[in-house]
Amino acid sequence: MNTSPAPPSSGLALETPVADLAGLEPMETLKRRWPMVVGGIITLVMIVMLGKQLIDTGLTGLTKALPRNPFFYLFFTLYYFSPVVGDYTIFHRLWNIPAAGFAALIRKRVASDMIGYSGEAYFYTWARQRSTMIAAPFGAVKDVSILSAIAGSAVTLAVLVVALPFVMGSLDDAKLRIVGWSAVVIFAMSLPFLIFSKRVFSLDRGTLWFIFAVHCARVLGGAILVAIVWHFGLIGISLTTLLLLSALRMLVSRLPMVPNKDLFFATIAGMSAGQHAALTQMLAIVAAMILVVHATLIIGLALHGLLAPGRATTQG
């Protein structure tokens, strides 16, 4: 009978892999769950910030001044969702995302309004959760975000060339210097991305041009839609004047050297159109309505995720 002892390493060979796997399981679970955790944190922060801003706006007084024209609300809805439609058009071509991706893009739009580029961070985590559908989401999200900024700057500079002759009389020398230097800064900020485009962008040239075109259409469409919204909310100001003011607003919103953009625009707009108080009130009403819609959609989507966690995990 062979009574030689078993090799001393045989028991360790069986036990060590089990111990290693047991130690790896929690880390693997964390890796799978981090996009969901990040998305949940961003959603919670958005709800808190929206609540604070809604309280600060004083909705009671603004509610009494709401327009009665139904077309005001129709075009406001189109204006509100135009950025989401633009993003959906882009990502549907890039990733063929389903209609459920529209909800994720709504969260992206709200997060970007609340906390800068956190919308891109949220959408990246949403895409990471769908690795079977999207192989490498970071490069696409990065390219779309950069092209959005470049398109906004390009359209703004084009609008500046067209609109400046009409508002020259409303600007003193100090404001003209601010506008001039801001235009230089806007152009300079986009220049590095254009010079080093081959190193910066991940997508092919044809796709990049498509994304750029959609962003330009979105920016112009938003400027036209908000002018129409003002048209149905104000009395006594022509649509042509409001289109010009909308172009001016788009320009002012991107001026990097202006500390209070809303006040700067309201001052120039009031001098140009002659209804400073009415325009200021309309700006406040539209801004408050955007906050209300933000809060309604975010809370509604959060509740939907809590009540239907299985579908929320699948659809986002």
Side-chain angles (χ1 to χ4, degrees):
M1 180 181 296
N2 186 6
T3 59
S4 60
S9 60
S10 60
L12 292 174
L14 292 174
E15 295 175 2
T16 302
V18 176
D20 288 345
L21 288 174
L24 287 174
E25 282 178 358
M27 182 61 69
E28 186 64 27
T29 301
L30 180 61
K31 288 181 179 179
R32 288 197 302 266
R33 286 182 173 273
W34 77 261
M36 186 184 306
V37 172
V38 172
I41 292 173
I42 293 176
T43 299
L44 182 61
V45 171
M46 284 191 293
I47 292 174
V48 173
M49 293 186 67
L50 283 167
K52 182 180 182 302
Q53 290 195 27
L54 284 172
I55 293 173
D56 293 342
T57 54
L59 290 177
T60 304
L62 291 176
T63 302
K64 296 178 181 179
L66 284 174
R68 299 291 183 262
N69 194 322
F71 287 106
F72 172 85
Y73 300 96
L74 170 63
F75 283 97
F76 172 83
T77 303
L78 295 176
Y79 167 66
Y80 180 89
F81 284 106
S82 59
V84 185
V85 172
D87 280 345
Y88 183 80
T89 302
I90 291 170
F91 286 106
H92 184 70
R93 168 163 172 168
L94 293 179
W95 299 336
N96 195 29
I97 62 173
F102 203 82
L105 290 169
I106 289 175
R107 290 190 179 97
K108 173 179 176 292
R109 185 225 197 281
V110 177
S112 295
D113 280 2
M114 296 292 100
I115 330 169
Y117 285 97
S118 63
E120 278 68 24
Y122 167 79
F123 193 65
Y124 172 67
T125 62
W126 179 87
R128 278 294 300 268
Q129 289 179 280
R130 288 145 186 83
S131 56
T132 56
M133 181 181 72
I134 304 161
F138 177 77
V141 173
K142 168 183 63 68
D143 288 1
V144 172
S145 178
I146 293 173
L147 285 172
S148 175
I150 294 176
S153 298
V155 173
T156 299
L157 291 174
V159 166
L160 175 61
V161 173
V162 175
L164 194 58
F166 295 94
V167 296
M168 287 284 288
S170 303
L171 302 175
D172 55 29
D173 292 340
K175 289 185 174 65
L176 281 174
R177 281 195 296 271
I178 291 175
V179 172
W181 281 109
S182 298
V184 172
V185 173
I186 291 172
F187 178 75
M189 290 172 63
S190 300
L191 199 57
F193 296 108
L194 300 176
I195 295 174
F196 302 104
S197 59
K198 292 184 178 179
R199 296 184 179 183
V200 172
F201 296 111
S202 307
L203 301 172
D204 62 89
R205 187 175 297 274
T207 303
L208 293 175
W209 276 112
F210 169 78
I211 295 170
F212 179 76
V214 173
H215 278 314
C216 288
R218 173 184 60 79
V219 174
L220 284 173
I224 293 171
L225 285 171
V226 77
I228 298 174
V229 170
W230 295 341
H231 174 68
F232 288 112
L234 293 168
I235 300 175
I237 304 179
S238 68
L239 181 58
T240 303
T241 301
L242 292 174
L243 285 169
L244 179 61
L245 292 178
S246 177
L248 180 63
R249 175 177 175 268
M250 182 174 62
L251 171 63
V252 170
S253 69
R254 291 188 173 270
L255 295 180
M257 301 173 65
V258 178
N260 192 328
K261 296 179 174 60
D262 289 337
L263 179 61
F264 186 79
F265 168 71
T267 301
I268 299 176
M271 294 171 64
S272 303
Q275 294 192 25
H276 183 278
L279 281 169
T280 302
Q281 185 181 60
M282 182 53 55
L283 291 175
I285 289 173
V286 172
M289 287 180 61
I290 289 175
L291 288 176
V292 170
V293 177
H294 278 352
T296 302
L297 290 174
I298 288 300
I299 293 173
L301 290 172
L303 290 175
H304 177 268
L306 291 174
L307 297 176
R311 289 184 63 189
T313 302
T314 303
Q315 298 178 355

